[in-house]
């Protein structure tokens, strides 16, 4: 059983890393396959959308063909489609394999966790879960680092081909250890209505994400998507043989834990870190990856310790402390991440975010599934993974909308104070005139400074909001049931 401690977390590591590793490689990929900047966004969105559409099918497929068979099949297809992405020679070929990759990736994460929780006894479960959680925390951090290094010093193809040896290793190990487990199957009726609503919802969110930079108002579409989500939830609660089992939300720990994960992932995946370092501070891809990497240091060394601390300390204390650390990190960024920000300051904040992630993920995951029976673990992990997948989409859309609104606000306010003929402009012009700049050059410099400071102020507004949400979550987590000693 010991190989499972590594092969199951390694499978989740590949999938989670693949969701971020290609982000920094987009310019290089687009340039090599002849895609425009707008088309290159499909390389990321096609994977995310396909993954979001396949996650809800996990429970139904697992009941039809068995958990272990579905897991090995999905892992095999993911490995082969990764190879297909790496050898793609044009845009359509790459998108085709990215869709296949996303479809196969959907069941891997929930099944890797449910199999881990089912196959290990309670005494060993905490250590196994610590290793799984470590990979889940480290993977999205190390993805941009590896992607930046590969893109800068090698070919972009290896961003996807790196999955080939890892995938073959995990498939071989899993076939030897879990191929004969979880053979129970059921002829369960498929929920076409529920799945159609999910497809419409994902398609609408993708459309909104593509419109976010076009200057169009997406408020009406966001309202429609929320109404569609509400209609989907009602359909799942009021009908039998549904795609998802929402009755898990009647479980106190599961509901609170899932909400905490949902909001924390909205913030952490929507925090605009890579785009901030690239667009505002003009760091290169390798530097961005290295500055983000300290968030993966703490999980490597503290994951097992965090899991064992749950034996002696109330999980609510650990989770609450982690949310307070998150809040302090975002407060620090809101106060000091301006013109005076140094690479060391940013790397330090990433290190403390890694500590917070380690203290938060393992105790909360253990608490979340504490009252779930073994027979219901697959359905429970599927629902939790769907919420996590949707939270990344929410985080990207909501943060982008907030960023654009605050950017327009701050640009307007700063432009009102400095314009040709104003006292502030005349003071600037007289200073720059002594440096040999003419009026047009002065206006261009002022415009660039307004744009730069508006971006900083908008980013600070988002960080203030993030700090406030984590403070709320630090209190909200005390609604979890006390840990029994």
């Amino acid at each position: 059983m010991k190989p499972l401690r590594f092969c199951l977390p390694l499978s989740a590591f590949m999938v989670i890393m693949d969701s971020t590793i290609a982000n920094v490689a987009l310019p290089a990929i687009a340039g090599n396959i002849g895609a425009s900047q707008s088309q290159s966004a499909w390389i990321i969105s096609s994977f995310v959308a396909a993954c979001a559409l396949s996650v809800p099918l996990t429970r139904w497929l697992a009941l039809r063909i068995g958990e272990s068979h579905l897991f090995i099949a999905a892992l095999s297809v993911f490995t082969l489609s990764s190879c297909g992405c790496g050898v793609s020679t044009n845009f359509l070929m790459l998108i085709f394999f990215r869709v296949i990759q996303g479809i196969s990736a959907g069941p891997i994460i929930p099944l890797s966790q449910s199999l881990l929780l089912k196959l290990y006894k309670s005494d060993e479960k905490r250590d196994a879960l610590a290793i799984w959680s470590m990979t889940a925390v480290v993977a999205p951090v190390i993805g941009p680092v590896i992607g930046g290094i590969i893109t800068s010093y090698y070919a972009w193809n290896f961003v996807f081909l790196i999955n080939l040896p890892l995938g073959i290793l995990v498939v071989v190990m899993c076939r030897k250890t879990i191929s004969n487990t979880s053979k129970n199957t059921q002829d369960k009726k498929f929920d076409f209505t529920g799945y159609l609503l999910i497809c419409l919802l994902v398609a609408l969110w993708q459309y909104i994400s593509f419109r976010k930079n076009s200057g169009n108002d997406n408020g009406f579409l966001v309202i429609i998507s929320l109404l569609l989500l509400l209609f989907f939830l009602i359909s799942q609660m009021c009908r039998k043989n549904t795609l998802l089992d929402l009755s898990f939300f009647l479980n106190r720990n599961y509901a609170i834990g899932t909400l905490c994960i949902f909001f924390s992932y909205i913030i952490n995946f929507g925090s605009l870190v890579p785009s901030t370092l690239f667009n505002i501070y003009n760091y290169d891809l390798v530097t961005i990856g290295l500055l983000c990497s300290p968030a993966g240091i703490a999980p490597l060394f503290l994951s097992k310790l965090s899991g064992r601390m749950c034996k002696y300390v109330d999980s609510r204390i650990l989770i609450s402390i982690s949310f307070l650390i998150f809040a302090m990190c975002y407060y620090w960024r809101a106060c000091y991440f301006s013109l005076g920000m140094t690479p060391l300051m940013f790397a330090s904040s990433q290190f403390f975010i890694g500590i917070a992630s380690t203290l938060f993920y393992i105790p909360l995951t253990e608490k979340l599934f504490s009252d779930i029976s073994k027979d219901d673990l697959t359905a429970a992990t599927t629902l939790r993974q769907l919420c996590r997948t949707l939270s990344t989409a929410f985080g990207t859309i909501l943060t982008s909308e907030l960023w654009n609104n605050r950017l327009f606000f701050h640009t307007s306010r700063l432009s009102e104070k400095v314009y040709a003929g104003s006292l502030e402009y005349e003071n600037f012009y007289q200073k720059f005139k002594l440096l040999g700049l003419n009026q047009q050059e002065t206006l261009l410099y002022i415009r660039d400074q307004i744009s730069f400071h508006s971006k900083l102020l908008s980013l600070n507004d988002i960080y203030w909001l993030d700090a406030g949400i984590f403070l709320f979550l630090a209190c909200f987590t005390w609604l979890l049931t006390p840990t029994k000693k």
Side-chain angles (χ1 to χ4, degrees):
M1 296 292 286
K2 284 188 176 181
L4 286 178
R5 292 189 183 184
F6 301 98
C7 65
L8 291 176
L10 189 58
S11 64
F13 176 84
M14 284 196 306
V15 174
I16 299 173
M17 182 181 68
D18 216 74
S19 64
T20 60
I21 192 173
N23 291 9
V24 296
L26 285 183
I29 296 175
N32 279 271
I33 63 176
S36 64
Q37 184 177 0
S38 59
Q39 287 177 324
S40 65
W42 280 89
I43 299 172
I44 303 298
S45 61
S46 59
F47 176 86
V48 175
C51 188
L53 291 176
S54 63
V55 169
L57 298 175
T58 302
R59 178 195 177 203
W60 181 78
L61 288 173
L63 290 173
R64 295 283 300 209
I65 65 177
E67 292 180 35
S68 59
H69 294 160
L70 174 61
F71 179 75
I72 294 173
L75 198 56
S76 302
V77 174
F78 179 82
T79 303
L80 293 174
S81 58
S82 297
C83 183
C85 291
V87 300
S88 296
T89 56
N90 56 67
F91 177 71
L92 291 179
M93 183 178 177
L94 178 59
I95 294 302
F96 172 78
F97 282 111
R98 281 293 277 177
V99 171
I100 301 299
Q101 194 183 35
I103 292 173
S104 59
I108 292 176
I109 296 179
L111 287 179
S112 66
Q113 192 171 50
S114 65
L115 286 169
L116 196 75
L117 293 172
K118 284 182 178 181
L119 297 176
Y120 276 100
K121 298 178 181 179
S122 57
D123 295 336
E124 301 174 319
K125 188 182 298 183
R126 187 175 283 111
D127 289 341
L129 186 61
I131 297 175
W132 192 97
S133 302
M134 178 188 68
T135 60
V137 173
V138 172
V141 176
I142 202 173
V145 180
I146 296 176
I149 294 174
I150 290 176
T151 306
S152 299
Y153 299 106
Y154 300 97
W156 65 267
N157 312 72
F158 290 97
V159 167
F160 301 107
L161 293 176
I162 194 176
N163 289 328
L164 188 58
L166 293 176
I168 293 175
L169 175 64
V170 175
V171 169
V172 172
M173 292 175 66
C174 288
R175 284 187 64 86
K176 291 182 178 180
T177 53
I178 66 171
S179 59
N180 296 321
T181 61
S182 303
K183 281 188 170 183
N184 296 330
T185 59
Q186 298 179 23
D187 188 12
K188 183 176 175 60
K189 186 178 180 181
F190 186 71
D191 180 14
F192 286 100
T193 302
Y195 192 65
L196 177 61
L197 290 173
I198 287 182
C199 291
L200 292 174
L201 192 59
V202 172
L204 185 57
W205 280 342
Q206 287 298 309
Y207 181 67
I208 293 173
S209 66
F210 277 115
R211 281 171 51 98
K212 69 179 184 292
N213 295 322
S214 63
N216 297 319
D217 185 13
N218 294 321
F220 180 69
L221 294 176
V222 171
I223 293 175
I224 291 179
S225 67
L226 292 176
L227 291 175
L228 192 62
L229 177 61
L230 179 62
F231 184 61
F232 168 75
L233 295 176
I234 293 174
S235 71
Q236 295 294 292
M237 290 187 291
C238 299
R239 296 165 53 243
K240 296 182 179 180
N241 295 319
T242 53
L243 198 63
L244 301 173
D245 187 358
L246 299 185
S247 63
F248 290 115
F249 286 122
L250 298 177
N251 183 296
R252 178 175 166 184
N253 287 338
Y254 186 91
I256 295 173
T258 302
L259 284 174
C260 288
I261 289 176
F262 184 81
F263 284 109
S264 62
Y265 271 84
I266 282 181
I267 296 174
N268 289 326
F269 275 89
S271 58
L272 302 172
V273 168
S275 60
T276 299
L277 297 176
F278 183 78
N279 295 322
I280 297 181
Y281 294 102
N282 298 318
Y283 291 145
D284 60 80
L285 299 180
V286 176
T287 303
I288 292 173
L290 292 176
L291 289 178
C292 294
S293 62
I297 295 176
L300 290 174
F301 298 99
L302 299 179
S303 292
K304 201 166 185 179
L305 176 62
S306 176
R308 293 187 175 181
M309 285 174 64
C310 297
K311 295 181 180 179
Y312 311 104
V313 182
D314 193 329
S315 297
R316 297 177 300 175
I317 297 176
L318 298 175
I319 299 168
S320 184
I321 290 175
S322 72
F323 286 145
L324 289 176
I325 296 175
F326 273 125
M328 287 188 290
C329 288
Y330 283 107
Y331 169 78
W332 187 32
R333 290 183 177 183
C335 291
Y336 299 105
F337 275 29
S338 57
L339 293 175
M341 191 202 80
T342 63
L344 180 60
M345 290 174 60
F346 184 84
S348 300
S349 70
Q350 285 292 103
F351 176 75
F352 284 105
I353 282 179
I355 294 177
S357 299
T358 306
L359 291 176
F360 139 75
Y361 201 89
I362 298 172
L364 187 59
T365 301
E366 185 179 2
K367 178 67 72 173
L368 190 146
F369 295 113
S370 60
D371 300 326
I372 305 297
S373 64
K374 280 191 174 183
D375 295 334
D376 293 330
L377 277 175
T378 301
T381 54
T382 299
L383 181 59
R384 190 198 71 100
Q385 180 59 28
L386 179 61
C387 292
R388 175 177 167 175
T389 303
L390 295 181
S391 69
T392 60
F394 267 125
T396 303
I397 292 174
L398 294 178
T399 305
S400 297
E401 286 293 315
L402 180 60
W403 166 273
N404 290 331
N405 290 335
R406 300 307 297 173
L407 186 62
F408 176 79
F409 172 79
H410 289 298
T411 302
S412 301
R413 291 293 298 272
L414 293 176
S415 299
E416 290 174 357
K417 296 181 179 180
V418 183
Y419 59 90
S422 67
L423 180 61
E424 288 81 0
Y425 169 78
E426 292 299 329
N427 292 333
F428 273 116
Y429 179 59
Q430 293 302 323
K431 292 179 181 179
F432 291 126
K433 187 176 181 180
L434 296 175
L435 299 176
L437 298 180
N438 57 34
Q439 186 174 13
Q440 184 178 3
E441 291 171 334
T442 302
L443 285 173
L444 288 174
Y445 175 82
I446 292 174
R447 185 191 65 181
D448 290 341
Q449 289 298 304
I450 288 175
S451 175
F452 178 75
H453 284 85
S454 296
K455 291 177 181 178
L456 285 178
L457 291 171
S458 302
L459 189 65
N460 288 344
D461 290 344
I462 294 174
Y463 286 152
W464 277 113
L465 178 61
D466 293 343
I469 293 175
F470 273 121
L471 280 176
F472 167 77
L473 291 178
C475 301
F476 183 67
T477 191
W478 285 93
L479 296 177
L480 294 165
T481 58
T483 302
K484 296 180 181 179
K485 302 299 181 182

